[in-house]
Protein backbone atom coordinates (compact mmCIF):
# COMPACT_ATOMS: atom_id res chain seq x y z
CA UNK A 1 0.00 0.00 0.00
CA UNK A 2 2.80 2.40 0.95
CA UNK A 3 4.64 1.53 -2.23
CA UNK A 4 1.56 2.30 -4.31
CA UNK A 5 1.07 5.65 -2.53
CA UNK A 6 4.74 6.47 -3.02
CA UNK A 7 4.45 5.68 -6.73
CA UNK A 8 1.33 7.83 -7.00
CA UNK A 9 3.10 10.74 -5.29
CA UNK A 10 6.09 10.40 -7.59
CA UNK A 11 3.80 10.30 -10.64
CA UNK A 12 1.81 13.32 -9.42
CA UNK A 13 5.03 15.25 -8.71
CA UNK A 14 6.30 14.40 -12.19
CA UNK A 15 3.04 15.54 -13.81
CA UNK A 16 3.05 18.80 -11.86
CA UNK A 17 6.69 19.38 -12.83
CA UNK A 18 5.88 18.62 -16.48
CA UNK A 19 2.90 21.00 -16.43
CA UNK A 20 5.00 23.73 -14.80
CA UNK A 21 7.71 23.20 -17.43
CA UNK A 22 5.11 23.52 -20.22
CA UNK A 23 3.43 26.59 -18.73
CA UNK A 24 6.46 28.52 -17.51
CA UNK A 25 8.18 30.90 -19.89
CA UNK A 26 10.55 33.67 -18.81
CA UNK A 27 8.77 37.03 -18.91
CA UNK A 28 9.95 40.55 -18.11
CA UNK A 29 8.99 41.66 -14.60
CA UNK A 30 7.20 44.69 -16.08
CA UNK A 31 4.55 42.69 -17.94
CA UNK A 32 1.03 42.72 -16.48
CA UNK A 33 -0.05 39.65 -14.44
CA UNK A 34 2.82 37.38 -15.64
CA UNK A 35 1.55 34.06 -14.28
CA UNK A 36 -1.91 34.64 -15.69
CA UNK A 37 -0.31 35.48 -19.04
CA UNK A 38 1.70 32.23 -18.91
CA UNK A 39 -1.50 30.24 -18.34
CA UNK A 40 -3.30 32.07 -21.15
CA UNK A 41 -0.38 31.48 -23.50
CA UNK A 42 -0.16 27.78 -22.56
CA UNK A 43 -3.88 27.38 -23.26
CA UNK A 44 -3.53 28.99 -26.68
CA UNK A 45 -0.43 26.93 -27.51
CA UNK A 46 -2.31 23.76 -26.54
CA UNK A 47 -5.17 24.70 -28.85
CA UNK A 48 -2.67 25.36 -31.64
CA UNK A 49 -1.04 21.96 -31.13
CA UNK A 50 -4.41 20.18 -31.20
CA UNK A 51 -5.33 21.99 -34.42
CA UNK A 52 -1.95 21.11 -35.95
CA UNK A 53 -2.56 17.44 -35.11
CA UNK A 54 -5.99 17.60 -36.73
CA UNK A 55 -4.36 19.13 -39.82
CA UNK A 56 -1.62 16.45 -39.85
CA UNK A 57 -4.28 13.70 -39.72
CA UNK A 58 -5.97 15.27 -42.74
CA UNK A 59 -9.20 15.98 -40.86
CA UNK A 60 -9.30 19.75 -41.37
CA UNK A 61 -7.17 22.80 -42.12
CA UNK A 62 -5.33 23.78 -38.92
CA UNK A 63 -6.74 27.33 -38.94
CA UNK A 64 -10.31 26.07 -39.33
CA UNK A 65 -9.73 23.66 -36.47
CA UNK A 66 -8.16 26.33 -34.26
CA UNK A 67 -10.95 28.79 -34.93
CA UNK A 68 -13.53 26.10 -34.20
CA UNK A 69 -11.91 25.62 -30.78
CA UNK A 70 -11.83 29.38 -30.12
CA UNK A 71 -15.44 29.96 -31.15
CA UNK A 72 -16.71 26.82 -29.37
CA UNK A 73 -15.49 28.20 -26.06
CA UNK A 74 -16.56 31.78 -26.58
CA UNK A 75 -19.42 32.31 -29.03
CA UNK A 76 -22.15 34.60 -27.73
CA UNK A 77 -25.65 35.18 -29.06
CA UNK A 78 -26.90 38.65 -29.97
CA UNK A 79 -28.24 39.40 -26.51
CA UNK A 80 -29.59 42.88 -25.82
CA UNK A 81 -29.62 44.67 -22.47
CA UNK A 82 -31.59 47.63 -21.17
CA UNK A 83 -28.75 49.92 -22.29
CA UNK A 84 -27.68 48.32 -25.61
CA UNK A 85 -29.72 46.73 -28.39
CA UNK A 86 -27.75 43.98 -30.18
CA UNK A 87 -28.74 42.56 -33.57
CA UNK A 88 -27.12 40.33 -36.17
CA UNK A 89 -27.75 41.40 -39.76
CA UNK A 90 -25.82 41.87 -43.00
CA UNK A 91 -24.64 44.96 -44.86
CA UNK A 92 -24.45 44.33 -48.60
CA UNK A 93 -23.93 40.61 -48.05
CA UNK A 94 -21.37 41.00 -45.24
CA UNK A 95 -22.41 39.78 -41.79
CA UNK A 96 -22.30 42.39 -39.03
CA UNK A 97 -23.30 42.60 -35.38
CA UNK A 98 -24.79 46.01 -34.55
CA UNK A 99 -24.74 47.43 -31.02
CA UNK A 100 -27.10 50.38 -30.51
CA UNK A 101 -26.46 52.42 -27.39
CA UNK A 102 -29.04 54.82 -25.98
CA UNK A 103 -29.03 58.33 -27.40
CA UNK A 104 -28.14 61.23 -25.12
CA UNK A 105 -31.22 63.38 -24.40
CA UNK A 106 -29.52 66.46 -25.84
CA UNK A 107 -28.16 64.57 -28.89
CA UNK A 108 -30.83 62.76 -30.94
CA UNK A 109 -28.19 61.57 -33.42
CA UNK A 110 -25.54 59.14 -32.16
CA UNK A 111 -21.86 58.72 -32.79
CA UNK A 112 -20.72 55.52 -34.48
CA UNK A 113 -17.65 53.27 -34.77
CA UNK A 114 -17.11 50.59 -37.39
CA UNK A 115 -15.12 47.94 -35.50
CA UNK A 116 -12.94 45.22 -37.08
CA UNK A 117 -11.83 42.35 -34.88
CA UNK A 118 -8.32 40.88 -34.78
CA UNK A 119 -7.11 37.31 -35.19
CA UNK A 120 -4.42 37.21 -37.88
CA UNK A 121 -7.04 37.52 -40.68
CA UNK A 122 -7.87 33.89 -39.85
CA UNK A 123 -9.25 33.60 -36.32
CA UNK A 124 -11.90 34.95 -33.93
CA UNK A 125 -15.26 36.50 -34.72
CA UNK A 126 -17.41 39.54 -34.04
CA UNK A 127 -19.66 37.08 -32.22
CA UNK A 128 -17.26 35.74 -29.58
CA UNK A 129 -17.54 36.94 -26.00
CA UNK A 130 -14.39 39.11 -26.01
CA UNK A 131 -15.51 41.31 -28.93
CA UNK A 132 -19.15 41.24 -27.97
CA UNK A 133 -18.29 42.59 -24.51
CA UNK A 134 -15.91 45.22 -25.92
CA UNK A 135 -18.42 46.55 -28.45
CA UNK A 136 -21.26 46.49 -25.94
CA UNK A 137 -19.14 48.54 -23.52
CA UNK A 138 -18.30 51.01 -26.30
CA UNK A 139 -21.94 51.39 -27.31
CA UNK A 140 -23.05 51.97 -23.72
CA UNK A 141 -20.27 54.33 -22.61
CA UNK A 142 -20.22 56.35 -25.83
CA UNK A 143 -24.00 56.34 -26.40
CA UNK A 144 -23.02 55.14 -29.85
CA UNK A 145 -23.81 52.65 -32.61
CA UNK A 146 -21.02 50.10 -33.02
CA UNK A 147 -20.93 48.05 -36.23
CA UNK A 148 -18.74 44.98 -35.69
CA UNK A 149 -17.87 43.37 -39.03
CA UNK A 150 -17.86 39.58 -39.42
CA UNK A 151 -15.52 39.55 -42.43
CA UNK A 152 -14.55 36.27 -44.10
CA UNK A 153 -11.38 34.58 -42.88
CA UNK A 154 -8.39 32.59 -44.10
CA UNK A 155 -8.41 29.84 -45.39
CA UNK A 156 -11.88 30.36 -46.91
CA UNK A 157 -10.65 33.57 -48.56
CA UNK A 158 -7.29 35.31 -48.85
CA UNK A 159 -6.01 38.86 -49.36
CA UNK A 160 -7.55 41.15 -50.51
CA UNK A 161 -11.01 39.66 -49.84
CA UNK A 162 -10.96 40.66 -46.16
CA UNK A 163 -10.44 44.29 -47.23
CA UNK A 164 -13.24 44.01 -49.78
CA UNK A 165 -15.64 42.75 -47.09
CA UNK A 166 -14.77 45.60 -44.75
CA UNK A 167 -15.06 48.20 -47.51
CA UNK A 168 -18.38 46.82 -48.73
CA UNK A 169 -19.97 46.74 -45.28
CA UNK A 170 -18.70 50.23 -44.37
CA UNK A 171 -19.84 51.80 -47.65
CA UNK A 172 -23.28 50.29 -47.13
CA UNK A 173 -23.48 51.64 -43.59
CA UNK A 174 -22.53 55.14 -44.75
CA UNK A 175 -25.54 55.42 -47.05
CA UNK A 176 -27.83 58.23 -45.81
CA UNK A 177 -30.87 55.97 -45.47
CA UNK A 178 -28.91 53.43 -43.38
CA UNK A 179 -27.45 56.10 -41.11
CA UNK A 180 -30.96 57.49 -40.70
CA UNK A 181 -32.29 54.04 -39.75
CA UNK A 182 -29.75 53.82 -36.92
CA UNK A 183 -30.01 57.53 -35.98
CA UNK A 184 -26.30 58.11 -36.66
CA UNK A 185 -24.71 61.53 -37.14
CA UNK A 186 -22.87 61.32 -40.52
CA UNK A 187 -20.21 63.73 -39.24
CA UNK A 188 -19.27 61.58 -36.24
CA UNK A 189 -18.24 58.19 -37.61
CA UNK A 190 -14.93 56.46 -36.93
CA UNK A 191 -13.23 53.21 -37.87
CA UNK A 192 -11.28 51.05 -35.46
CA UNK A 193 -9.76 47.61 -35.05
CA UNK A 194 -7.19 45.60 -33.13
CA UNK A 195 -4.19 43.65 -34.47
CA UNK A 196 -5.15 42.33 -37.93
CA UNK A 197 -8.36 44.33 -37.52
CA UNK A 198 -6.19 47.41 -36.98
CA UNK A 199 -4.45 46.54 -40.24
CA UNK A 200 -7.80 46.39 -42.05
CA UNK A 201 -8.98 49.62 -40.38
CA UNK A 202 -5.79 51.43 -41.52
CA UNK A 203 -6.21 50.03 -45.04
CA UNK A 204 -9.85 51.16 -45.03
CA UNK A 205 -8.82 54.67 -43.99
CA UNK A 206 -6.30 54.88 -46.82
CA UNK A 207 -8.79 53.51 -49.38
CA UNK A 208 -11.38 56.08 -48.32
CA UNK A 209 -8.80 58.86 -48.51
CA UNK A 210 -8.12 58.03 -52.17
CA UNK A 211 -11.80 57.98 -53.18
CA UNK A 212 -13.31 61.40 -53.86
CA UNK A 213 -16.78 60.11 -52.91
CA UNK A 214 -15.59 58.79 -49.55
CA UNK A 215 -12.92 61.28 -48.53
CA UNK A 216 -13.60 62.98 -45.18
CA UNK A 217 -16.39 60.50 -44.36
CA UNK A 218 -14.46 59.27 -41.31
CA UNK A 219 -13.89 61.61 -38.39
CA UNK A 220 -11.33 59.40 -36.59
CA UNK A 221 -9.43 56.14 -36.87
CA UNK A 222 -8.34 54.19 -33.78
CA UNK A 223 -5.78 51.43 -34.28
CA UNK A 224 -5.07 49.00 -31.45
CA UNK A 225 -1.63 47.32 -31.63
CA UNK A 226 -2.01 47.18 -35.44
CA UNK A 227 0.07 44.98 -37.76
CA UNK A 228 1.19 47.33 -40.52
CA UNK A 229 4.10 45.87 -42.49
CA UNK A 230 5.73 42.61 -43.61
CA UNK A 231 9.04 43.91 -44.94
CA UNK A 232 11.10 43.93 -41.73
CA UNK A 233 10.70 41.23 -39.10
CA UNK A 234 13.71 42.54 -37.19
CA UNK A 235 12.56 45.89 -35.89
CA UNK A 236 13.60 46.43 -32.26
CA UNK A 237 10.22 45.16 -31.03
CA UNK A 238 10.47 42.02 -33.16
CA UNK A 239 13.97 41.40 -31.80
CA UNK A 240 13.02 42.21 -28.19
CA UNK A 241 9.80 40.15 -28.17
CA UNK A 242 10.80 37.30 -30.46
CA UNK A 243 9.24 34.66 -28.16
CA UNK A 244 6.82 36.81 -26.14
CA UNK A 245 3.17 35.72 -25.69
CA UNK A 246 0.63 35.91 -27.25
CA UNK A 247 2.28 36.57 -30.59
CA UNK A 248 5.84 35.22 -31.07
CA UNK A 249 7.59 36.38 -34.23
CA UNK A 250 7.37 33.07 -36.10
CA UNK A 251 3.60 32.97 -35.52
CA UNK A 252 3.17 36.49 -36.94
CA UNK A 253 5.22 35.59 -40.02
CA UNK A 254 3.07 32.49 -40.56
CA UNK A 255 -0.08 34.62 -40.32
CA UNK A 256 1.30 36.80 -43.12
CA UNK A 257 2.07 33.76 -45.29
CA UNK A 258 -1.41 32.37 -44.61
CA UNK A 259 -3.01 35.73 -45.48
CA UNK A 260 -1.43 35.57 -48.93
CA UNK A 261 -1.90 31.80 -49.39
CA UNK A 262 1.90 31.61 -49.65
CA UNK A 263 4.44 28.85 -49.16
CA UNK A 264 5.46 27.92 -45.59
CA UNK A 265 8.92 27.11 -46.95
CA UNK A 266 9.52 30.87 -47.06
CA UNK A 267 8.89 31.46 -43.34
CA UNK A 268 12.46 30.97 -42.07
CA UNK A 269 13.89 33.14 -44.85
CA UNK A 270 11.38 35.90 -44.10
CA UNK A 271 12.22 35.83 -40.38
CA UNK A 272 15.79 36.93 -41.24
CA UNK A 273 14.56 39.46 -43.87
CA UNK A 274 15.79 37.49 -46.87
CA UNK A 275 12.66 38.59 -48.72
CA UNK A 276 13.73 42.26 -48.64
CA UNK A 277 17.49 41.87 -49.03
CA UNK A 278 19.46 44.48 -50.96
CA UNK A 279 19.26 42.42 -54.16
CA UNK A 280 15.44 42.51 -54.12
CA UNK A 281 14.87 45.56 -56.30
CA UNK A 282 11.11 45.64 -55.76
CA UNK A 283 11.62 46.43 -52.06
CA UNK A 284 14.25 49.16 -52.49
CA UNK A 285 11.89 52.11 -52.90
CA UNK A 286 9.83 51.09 -49.88
CA UNK A 287 12.62 50.77 -47.29
CA UNK A 288 12.63 54.50 -46.48
CA UNK A 289 8.98 54.24 -45.40
CA UNK A 290 9.96 51.96 -42.52
CA UNK A 291 13.51 52.99 -41.76
CA UNK A 292 13.25 52.50 -38.02
CA UNK A 293 16.66 53.98 -37.30
CA UNK A 294 15.14 57.37 -38.14
CA UNK A 295 11.45 56.76 -37.33
CA UNK A 296 11.93 55.39 -33.81
CA UNK A 297 13.32 57.28 -30.80
CA UNK A 298 16.56 56.22 -29.11
CA UNK A 299 14.58 54.95 -26.11
CA UNK A 300 13.09 52.32 -28.42
CA UNK A 301 16.03 51.49 -30.70
CA UNK A 302 18.45 51.04 -27.76
CA UNK A 303 21.35 48.88 -28.99
CA UNK A 304 19.39 46.94 -31.61
CA UNK A 305 20.88 46.77 -35.10
CA UNK A 306 19.05 46.60 -38.42
CA UNK A 307 19.07 43.22 -40.17
CA UNK A 308 19.70 43.90 -43.84
CA UNK A 309 20.88 40.99 -45.96
CA UNK A 310 23.07 41.71 -48.98
CA UNK A 311 21.69 38.77 -50.89
CA UNK A 312 18.49 36.90 -50.13
CA UNK A 313 15.68 35.01 -51.79
CA UNK A 314 14.26 37.02 -54.68
CA UNK A 315 11.66 34.30 -55.31
CA UNK A 316 9.67 35.30 -52.23
CA UNK A 317 8.37 38.67 -53.43
CA UNK A 318 8.02 37.30 -56.95
CA UNK A 319 5.69 34.57 -55.69
CA UNK A 320 4.08 36.73 -52.98
CA UNK A 321 4.02 40.27 -54.43
CA UNK A 322 1.23 41.13 -51.97
CA UNK A 323 3.96 41.61 -49.34
CA UNK A 324 4.77 44.93 -51.02
CA UNK A 325 1.15 46.05 -51.48
CA UNK A 326 0.19 49.03 -49.32
CA UNK A 327 -3.32 47.60 -48.93
CA UNK A 328 -1.77 44.78 -46.90
CA UNK A 329 0.98 46.92 -45.35
CA UNK A 330 -0.39 50.45 -44.73
CA UNK A 331 2.91 51.59 -43.22
CA UNK A 332 4.57 51.54 -46.66
CA UNK A 333 1.98 53.81 -48.31
CA UNK A 334 3.26 56.94 -50.05
CA UNK A 335 3.27 60.16 -48.03
CA UNK A 336 0.61 61.65 -50.29
CA UNK A 337 -1.78 58.85 -49.31
CA UNK A 338 -1.26 59.63 -45.61
CA UNK A 339 -2.09 63.32 -45.94
CA UNK A 340 -5.61 64.26 -44.89
CA UNK A 341 -6.21 60.98 -43.05
CA UNK A 342 -8.53 61.53 -40.07
CA UNK A 343 -7.41 62.22 -36.53
CA UNK A 344 -5.72 59.05 -35.33
CA UNK A 345 -5.31 57.09 -32.11
CA UNK A 346 -2.69 54.32 -31.98
CA UNK A 347 -2.33 52.06 -28.95
CA UNK A 348 0.93 50.14 -28.58
CA UNK A 349 2.26 47.67 -26.01
CA UNK A 350 5.86 47.24 -24.86
CA UNK A 351 5.74 43.43 -24.88
CA UNK A 352 4.53 43.05 -28.46
CA UNK A 353 6.36 42.33 -31.72
CA UNK A 354 4.04 44.88 -33.39
CA UNK A 355 4.93 47.76 -31.07
CA UNK A 356 7.20 49.45 -33.60
CA UNK A 357 4.74 49.11 -36.49
CA UNK A 358 2.38 51.37 -34.54
CA UNK A 359 5.04 53.82 -33.41
CA UNK A 360 6.47 54.18 -36.94
CA UNK A 361 3.00 54.73 -38.41
CA UNK A 362 2.33 57.43 -35.81
CA UNK A 363 5.58 59.15 -36.81
CA UNK A 364 4.82 58.95 -40.53
CA UNK A 365 1.30 60.26 -40.00
CA UNK A 366 2.58 63.19 -37.93
CA UNK A 367 5.07 64.01 -40.69
CA UNK A 368 2.14 64.04 -43.12
CA UNK A 369 0.29 66.56 -40.95
CA UNK A 370 -2.17 64.19 -39.30
CA UNK A 371 -3.10 64.75 -35.65
CA UNK A 372 -2.01 61.60 -33.79
CA UNK A 373 -2.31 60.32 -30.22
CA UNK A 374 0.18 57.54 -29.44
CA UNK A 375 -0.93 55.69 -26.32
CA UNK A 376 1.82 53.35 -25.10
CA UNK A 377 1.51 50.82 -22.26
CA UNK A 378 4.76 49.67 -20.68
CA UNK A 379 3.16 46.57 -19.11
CA UNK A 380 0.99 45.71 -22.11
CA UNK A 381 1.16 42.61 -24.31
CA UNK A 382 -0.40 41.80 -27.66
CA UNK A 383 -4.14 41.26 -27.43
CA UNK A 384 -4.45 42.60 -23.89
CA UNK A 385 -7.33 45.01 -24.51
CA UNK A 386 -9.94 42.27 -24.99
CA UNK A 387 -8.95 40.48 -21.76
CA UNK A 388 -11.06 42.33 -19.21
CA UNK A 389 -13.36 39.74 -17.64
CA UNK A 390 -12.79 36.63 -15.52
CA UNK A 391 -10.95 34.29 -15.91
CA UNK A 392 -8.84 36.22 -18.44
CA UNK A 393 -9.04 39.61 -16.73
CA UNK A 394 -5.78 41.54 -16.80
CA UNK A 395 -5.10 44.88 -15.13
CA UNK A 396 -3.61 46.25 -18.35
CA UNK A 397 -6.61 44.98 -20.30
CA UNK A 398 -8.97 47.12 -18.26
CA UNK A 399 -6.66 50.15 -18.41
CA UNK A 400 -6.13 49.94 -22.18
CA UNK A 401 -9.86 49.57 -22.82
CA UNK A 402 -10.69 52.53 -20.57
CA UNK A 403 -8.03 54.69 -22.22
CA UNK A 404 -9.23 53.77 -25.71
CA UNK A 405 -12.89 54.48 -24.94
CA UNK A 406 -11.96 57.74 -23.21
CA UNK A 407 -10.11 58.92 -26.33
CA UNK A 408 -13.10 58.05 -28.51
CA UNK A 409 -15.40 59.91 -26.13
CA UNK A 410 -13.24 63.03 -26.33
CA UNK A 411 -12.57 62.98 -30.08
CA UNK A 412 -15.50 61.36 -31.88
Amino acid sequence: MRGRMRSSCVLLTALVALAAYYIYIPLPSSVSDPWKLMLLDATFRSAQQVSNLIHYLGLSHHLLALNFIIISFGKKSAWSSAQVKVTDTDFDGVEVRVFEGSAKPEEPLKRSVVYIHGGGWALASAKIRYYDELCKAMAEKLNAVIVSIEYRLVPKVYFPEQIHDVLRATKYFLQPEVLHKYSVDPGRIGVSGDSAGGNLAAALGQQFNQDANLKNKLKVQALIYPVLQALDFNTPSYQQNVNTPILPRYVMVKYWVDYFNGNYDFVQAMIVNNHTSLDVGEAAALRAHLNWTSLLPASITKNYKPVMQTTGNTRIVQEIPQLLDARSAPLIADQEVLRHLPKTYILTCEHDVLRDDGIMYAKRLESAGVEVTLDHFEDGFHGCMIFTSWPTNFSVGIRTRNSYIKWLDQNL
Side-chain angles (χ1 to χ4, degrees), residues 233-295:
F233 295 115
N234 289 274
T235 61
S237 59
Y238 267 110
Q239 293 186 50
Q240 173 183 297
N241 299 297
V242 61
N243 292 313
T244 298
I246 298 289
L247 189 65
R249 177 171 62 179
Y250 76 93
V251 172
M252 187 64 248
V253 176
K254 286 176 69 176
Y255 280 141
W256 275 112
V257 173
D258 282 324
Y259 188 31
F260 301 137
N261 196 19
N263 189 333
Y264 277 162
D265 292 344
F266 293 149
V267 169
Q268 290 304 317
M270 291 169 66
I271 283 173
V272 294
N273 287 352
N274 274 346
H275 62 305
T276 52
S277 53
L278 293 174
D279 60 335
V280 179
E282 299 93 328
L286 303 173
R287 289 193 192 99
H289 294 169
L290 50 94
N291 177 12
W292 57 260
T293 59
S294 61
L295 289 171

Side-chain angles (χ1 to χ4, degrees), residues 71 74-80 84-91 94-100 112-117 125-136 139 144-151 169 173 182:
I71 291 174
K75 191 165 186 178
K76 193 169 181 181
S77 300
W79 180 78
S80 299
V84 180
K85 179 184 176 184
V86 184
T87 53
D88 287 336
T89 184
D90 74 87
F91 286 176
V94 180
E95 291 182 44
V96 295
R97 176 164 285 186
V98 182
F99 302 79
E100 299 176 68
S112 183
V113 177
V114 173
Y115 195 86
I116 310 167
H117 72 80
S125 164
K127 299 174 183 179
I128 62 171
R129 177 172 64 91
Y130 296 115
Y131 289 110
D132 185 89
E133 289 178 353
L134 170 64
C135 292
K136 195 171 286 182
V145 174
I146 311 301
V147 176
S148 188
I149 301 179
E150 183 79 333
Y151 57 93
F173 179 59
Y182 290 103

Side-chain angles (χ1 to χ4, degrees), residues 88 107 117-118 176 202 228 248 279 285 323 331 334 359 369 402-403:
D88 287 336
E107 295 178 4
H117 72 80
L228 296 170
D279 60 335
L323 286 162
L331 180 57
D334 290 337
I359 296 173
N402 289 344
S403 187

Side-chain angles (χ1 to χ4, degrees), residues 137-319:
M138 291 166 64
E140 182 176 347
K141 294 179 180 180
L142 297 171
N143 301 98
V145 174
I146 311 301
V147 176
S148 188
I149 301 179
E150 183 79 333
Y151 57 93
R152 291 170 296 163
L153 303 172
V154 172
K156 292 185 177 178
V157 298
Y158 301 95
F159 171 87
E161 292 306 313
Q162 286 82 352
I163 297 173
H164 291 164
D165 283 1
V166 168
L167 277 168
R168 196 159 65 248
T170 307
K171 286 179 181 178
Y172 179 90
F173 179 59
L174 290 175
Q175 294 178 106
E177 60 271 24
V178 180
L179 295 179
H180 177 74
K181 175 185 174 182
Y182 290 103
S183 300
V184 169
D185 184 340
R188 302 179 75 187
I189 300 170
V191 64
S192 183
D194 63 298
S195 192
N199 168 281
L200 295 171
L204 177 74
Q206 292 185 7
Q207 294 286 300
F208 270 38
N209 205 30
Q210 296 174 76
D211 187 326
N213 295 319
L214 297 170
K215 201 168 186 177
N216 302 320
K217 291 283 188 181
L218 300 174
K219 186 177 182 182
V220 301
Q221 62 174 349
L223 314 177
I224 313 303
Y225 31 77
V227 50
L228 296 170
Q229 59 88 23
L231 275 73
D232 188 353
F233 295 115
N234 289 274
T235 61
S237 59
Y238 267 110
Q239 293 186 50
Q240 173 183 297
N241 299 297
V242 61
N243 292 313
T244 298
I246 298 289
L247 189 65
R249 177 171 62 179
Y250 76 93
V251 172
M252 187 64 248
V253 176
K254 286 176 69 176
Y255 280 141
W256 275 112
V257 173
D258 282 324
Y259 188 31
F260 301 137
N261 196 19
N263 189 333
Y264 277 162
D265 292 344
F266 293 149
V267 169
Q268 290 304 317
M270 291 169 66
I271 283 173
V272 294
N273 287 352
N274 274 346
H275 62 305
T276 52
S277 53
L278 293 174
D279 60 335
V280 179
E282 299 93 328
L286 303 173
R287 289 193 192 99
H289 294 169
L290 50 94
N291 177 12
W292 57 260
T293 59
S294 61
L295 289 171
L296 297 176
S299 59
I300 293 290
T301 59
K302 299 175 183 173
N303 294 319
Y304 293 107
K305 304 297 181 188
V307 174
M308 182 67 71
Q309 310 293 351
T310 305
T311 57
N313 187 342
T314 57
R315 271 186 57 216
I316 298 176
V317 294
Q318 290 169 2
E319 292 191 23

